[in-house]
Amino acid sequence: MVRNVVRHYANGRFGTSRPKSAPRQVAAEAIAPVCKSANTRSAKTNEVRQLDDASESNPKIKAWLARHQKFRAFVENDGKVHHVPDASGERTLQQLLQLVRAELGQSNAQPISLVDFSQLRIAAVKRNTQSSTRNDLVEMVLREAIAKDVSDVYVTIHHDRCRVHFRTHGVRYLFSELAGDDGREMVRAIWALAPHGQFEQTRPTDTAFDFAGLRVRANSLPDTRGNSVVLRLRDPNWLPTLDALGYDAQQLALFDELKAFPGGLTVISGETNSGKSTTLTAMMSAMTASSMVIEVADPIEMEFEDVTHVEIDNFAEDADETFRDILGGLVRQNPDALFIGEIRDAKSAEAAVNMALQGKRVWGSIHSQSRVATLSRLQHLGIDAELLAQPGFLNGVINQSLVPVVCQSCSLTQVGDDVQTTSALRAKYRSADLRFHNPDGCPQCVRGIRGQSVVAEVMVVGGESRDDMRRHIRAGDYAAIAARLKGEKLRSKAAHAADKIRAGQLDPFLAEQVIGRIAPEDARGEDA
Ligand SMILES: [Zn+2]
């Protein structure tokens, strides 16, 4: 259907009739000069090119593009489709579609979305290569991902259908759709980029390789209808600091306190995609100078000169045996600090306990929603309340979430045109600087989002002055624990988020979507 539309353009119908109504006129004028000035002719129709390809060869197009920076796509008289691969172009494409519908009637017009354009591109790539088509697809997807600052690529194959989603700044969106066979070929080609290991359709498989300076980790999981494949793209040279991740001054001081305990367990908790492993990496990089540090994790995300990194493969057949061997080795290495990655089962919990009881400083991450809920999660993994309350065992718990940061270039000062809601929120947060994300976005962002920031809460359990805290933990008295935290002014995650909302960095609605309702007493801020 898309090709139908393109062929009609190729017949020249687009340029000859000029629509009268205002929005159509805007689009028609935007496209017409390009159609005239484009001087490239080709026997092929439906060829899809990026606008910068076209502008390289034609100074008139280049000049026109400089004047129409928001414009994302056009169709030449001979049927060539040019576009800028950018999610924010969606709206312009919709205008183009409206125009096509008006010109050709509903039945000839299917939505021209970025997905359609990327499929046209894939078709063009396929036609233009005699061999190694599969690698071209992988190359195209990965290059687009890098251009869009993508952190995760999801390839979902269900029967004869394959969908490719991207995640940028925490926002997940559809990039393209393929036939199921093309998807399977593409995934096999992804695994072929790694130095060893083969894609296996029927069992969980991991692999890793370097692409254009990035480290790519791929994981495939068979499901009832096909395969779910996730690629994580990371810059191996990006070294985060806790400050840059979004922790505030009070929390940084608490990190220093936790770091100073001579031994014991500290846990970074959070939900999936909350940035736990990045925080652990930042901690590790801050400790290497003075300590002998060993990391045992699956996978190792980043390597440091002074750290011994041991990678374990949880999918390997002899995983349990290997893990026991590694633990024996750890004791003999006598590290000052052990980073154990995710504590996900009784096996890794036992390892953390053993090392902490031997007086080592142990840092690990765990899946949980809040600092207090982390205590029951640890008990669920076999670390009982008696042990958690034992002096010198548990130093503290950090719980964190990642909240999308509002793009300052296109953010809104009101909730749509809802004056009442806006002023109610300004009163709740006692701030006139609130900002709301703009779902239409701009060239600087993805749907109004530009980056993510940590919101967190810390609970310190260790230390001589906290006997009462440990007593509450032994008794499982969560209300008393909460009161104790309040008494020590260890602020909640909601209060931390509210600071950033008041400053216009976070959208109050998006923040509540991630961390739940923010109560008025948390929203008001410190001096309320
Ligand atoms: Zn923006």
Side-chain angles (χ1 to χ4, degrees):
M1 272 312 188
V2 175
R3 283 174 203 173
N4 254 348
V5 171
V6 174
R7 200 174 320 118
H8 280 288
Y9 278 117
N11 292 342
R13 289 182 55 178
F14 180 74
T16 52
S17 87
R18 192 178 169 123
K20 288 183 185 85
S21 76
R24 287 159 63 194
Q25 198 168 345
V26 169
E29 281 176 348
I31 293 167
V34 182
C35 292
K36 277 181 206 147
S37 65
N39 204 20
T40 43
R41 286 285 177 271
S42 158
K44 284 198 189 95
T45 55
N46 304 343
E47 194 174 337
V48 185
R49 294 186 171 187
Q50 293 192 21
L51 277 177
D52 38 354
D53 295 348
S55 64
E56 275 313 305
S57 60
N58 190 320
K60 278 184 188 167
I61 294 183
K62 201 170 190 171
W64 182 85
L65 284 173
R67 288 197 307 277
H68 301 84
Q69 288 194 352
K70 289 188 82 174
F71 199 66
R72 297 294 164 207
F74 67 89
V75 183
E76 281 189 53
N77 284 341
D78 64 359
K80 272 187 201 149
V81 181
H82 296 265
H83 81 114
V84 171
D86 184 338
S88 64
E90 190 75 37
R91 226 182 183 186
T92 316
L93 294 176
Q94 290 303 327
Q95 284 179 356
L96 182 63
L97 172 66
Q98 276 173 18
L99 203 69
V100 171
R101 283 187 173 140
E103 290 285 312
L104 308 174
Q106 286 289 343
S107 59
N108 278 335
Q110 287 291 306
I112 301 178
S113 67
L114 282 180
V115 172
D116 295 323
F117 275 96
S118 65
Q119 278 175 329
L120 283 170
R121 287 196 63 198
I122 287 168
V125 166
K126 279 194 154 182
R127 268 198 313 279
N128 292 331
T129 47
Q130 266 71 49
S131 60
S132 69
T133 309
R134 306 175 311 179
N135 285 325
D136 287 337
L137 278 180
V138 175
E139 173 108 6
M140 193 203 98
V141 169
L142 288 177
R143 295 238 174 255
E144 291 269 343
I146 292 167
K148 289 181 161 68
D149 213 3
V150 164
S151 59
D152 306 81
V153 177
Y154 304 85
V155 182
T156 315
I157 305 168
H158 284 159
H159 303 305
D160 55 355
R161 205 164 157 227
C162 170
R163 284 150 73 84
V164 181
H165 286 84
F166 283 172
R167 184 187 294 280
T168 302
H169 307 323
V171 184
R172 189 175 185 270
Y173 52 96
L174 183 64
F175 166 65
S176 190
E177 263 181 274
L178 304 165
D181 285 342
D182 287 342
R184 274 180 284 273
E185 265 187 68
M186 187 172 81
V187 170
R188 271 191 286 273
I190 289 170
W191 256 256
L193 288 172
H196 43 74
Q198 238 188 352
F199 175 62
E200 289 183 64
Q201 213 167 309
T202 53
R203 40 174 311 212
T205 331
D206 274 328
T207 192
F209 55 90
D210 295 315
F211 184 90
L214 296 185
R215 188 75 182 147
V216 183
R217 294 202 154 270
N219 170 262
S220 168
L221 203 61
D223 78 357
T224 51
R225 291 169 293 176
N227 288 83
S228 166
V229 176
V230 183
L231 308 181
R232 308 189 75 189
L233 281 57
R234 297 290 179 268
D235 179 351
N237 297 314
W238 180 67
L239 181 61
T241 63
L242 294 172
D243 185 25
L245 292 175
Y247 281 99
D248 69 18
Q250 188 204 35
Q251 292 162 345
L252 293 178
L254 292 169
F255 266 104
D256 285 340
E257 192 181 338
L258 290 168
K259 216 163 59 178
F261 285 117
L265 174 67
T266 306
V267 177
I268 315 267
S269 63
E271 298 185 83
T272 309
N273 281 326
S274 61
K276 300 184 290 282
S277 62
T278 309
T279 300
L280 276 179
T281 303
M283 265 321 292
M284 189 163 36
S285 76
M287 282 175 103
T288 54
S290 54
S291 313
M292 151 71 171
V293 178
I294 297 185
E295 181 192 22
V296 181
D298 169 32
I300 301 292
E301 302 245 344
M302 194 169 200
E303 292 175 352
F304 297 101
E305 190 88 1
D306 297 328
V307 175
T308 304
H309 298 280
V310 183
E311 189 161 80
I312 47 170
D313 178 2
N314 277 315
F315 290 123
E317 268 167 32
D318 55 352
D320 283 359
E321 204 176 315
T322 311
F323 193 72
R324 266 196 303 276
D325 285 351
I326 290 170
L327 286 186
L330 284 182
V331 177
R332 290 190 291 277
Q333 291 262 326
N334 197 26
D336 298 307
L338 173 68
F339 283 77
I340 197 155
E342 190 174 347
I343 303 171
R344 68 181 95 205
D345 49 22
K347 182 181 70 181
S348 43
E350 197 188 321
V353 168
N354 283 340
M355 295 304 283
L357 286 177
Q358 288 183 42
K360 306 300 175 201
R361 281 179 286 174
V362 181
W363 290 73
S365 70
I366 199 165
H367 190 98
S368 116
Q369 283 186 337
S370 74
R371 53 186 169 185
V372 176
T374 305
L375 296 172
S376 34
R377 179 80 186 124
L378 286 166
Q379 290 175 49
H380 185 77
L381 289 170
I383 308 178
D384 62 28
E386 194 64 39
L387 184 52
L388 288 176
Q390 184 177 311
F393 179 71
L394 181 65
N395 292 332
V397 173
I398 296 117
N399 182 267
Q400 71 174 59
S401 301
L402 277 180
V403 179
V405 172
V406 170
C407 170
Q408 295 301 323
S409 307
C410 67
S411 66
L412 310 169
T413 54
Q414 290 214 23
V415 187
D417 50 9
D418 189 344
V419 179
Q420 224 171 352
T421 305
T422 306
S423 63
L425 282 168
R426 283 181 186 161
K428 178 183 174 183
Y429 287 95
R430 298 195 180 170
S431 167
D433 299 325
L434 299 189
R435 290 289 179 276
F436 304 92
H437 90 289
N438 178 354
D440 291 334
C442 72
Q444 262 85 55
C445 66
V446 181
R447 296 181 196 167
I449 302 304
R450 202 166 164 188
Q452 298 177 94
S453 188
V454 162
V455 295
E457 54 189 22
V458 183
M459 169 167 67
V460 184
V461 175
E464 285 174 9
S465 64
R466 295 191 184 87
D467 277 339
D468 53 341
M469 177 63 121
R470 291 191 289 272
R471 214 169 41 241
H472 300 324
I473 290 176
R474 186 177 294 115
D477 187 346
Y478 286 13
I481 293 170
R484 178 71 171 76
L485 290 167
K486 208 167 185 177
E488 212 180 330
K489 287 198 159 44
L490 296 182
R491 302 166 70 226
S492 69
K493 195 155 69 173
H496 188 206
D499 287 348
K500 297 183 177 192
I501 291 169
R502 273 192 301 282
Q505 197 191 353
L506 305 182
D507 178 320
F509 293 106
L510 295 181
E512 286 198 333
Q513 264 177 31
V514 176
I515 67 165
R517 204 178 80 86
I518 296 172
E521 63 266 29
D522 284 324
R524 279 195 293 268
E526 208 75 86
D527 43 16

